[in-house]
Amino acid sequence: MSESMEKEISIPKLNTSNYQEWKQDIRMVLTMKELWDDPLDGIPPTGMDNERQSWSRMQRKALTVIHLYCEREQKL
């Protein structure tokens, strides 16, 4: 994804009243960053070490994006 496209992304952070809208928006952000499919299904691949490492890396990136789009009060 181009840097200029990423700068154009502006979604409200998750708070106590916007979960449904935020959920759709964050899914689109993760899809655009190619982080939606495998890392969020919760089941790591059982194949080669490099597949597991790639899955773990994608999962960490997805969780980082989610964390950054949450208000402080919503972060665990």
Side-chain angles (χ1 to χ4, degrees):
M1 171 179 30
S2 73
E3 189 173 321
S4 63
M5 180 186 248
E6 196 163 337
K7 287 181 182 179
E8 293 176 17
I9 298 170
S10 177
I11 66 169
K13 290 185 175 187
L14 175 65
N15 61 41
T16 58
S17 63
N18 70 345
Y19 176 72
Q20 291 302 319
E21 179 184 348
W22 176 86
K23 179 176 75 169
Q24 294 171 352
D25 290 344
I26 201 70
R27 182 175 182 173
M28 295 300 103
V29 169
L30 294 173
T31 299
M32 184 172 53
K33 292 176 174 277
E34 298 180 353
L35 298 173
W36 179 253
D37 292 334
D38 293 340
L40 297 181
D41 70 8
I43 304 168
T46 57
M48 307 295 281
D49 283 341
N50 59 345
E51 289 176 354
R52 285 189 297 247
Q53 288 173 353
S54 176
W55 182 87
S56 292
R57 188 171 30 257
M58 286 178 65
Q59 185 179 45
R60 286 191 306 273
K61 287 179 180 181
L63 291 173
T64 298
V65 171
I66 291 168
H67 181 82
L68 292 172
Y69 281 101
C70 293
E71 292 288 348
R72 182 176 303 273
E73 297 81 23
Q74 303 305 311
K75 297 176 183 178
L76 298 177

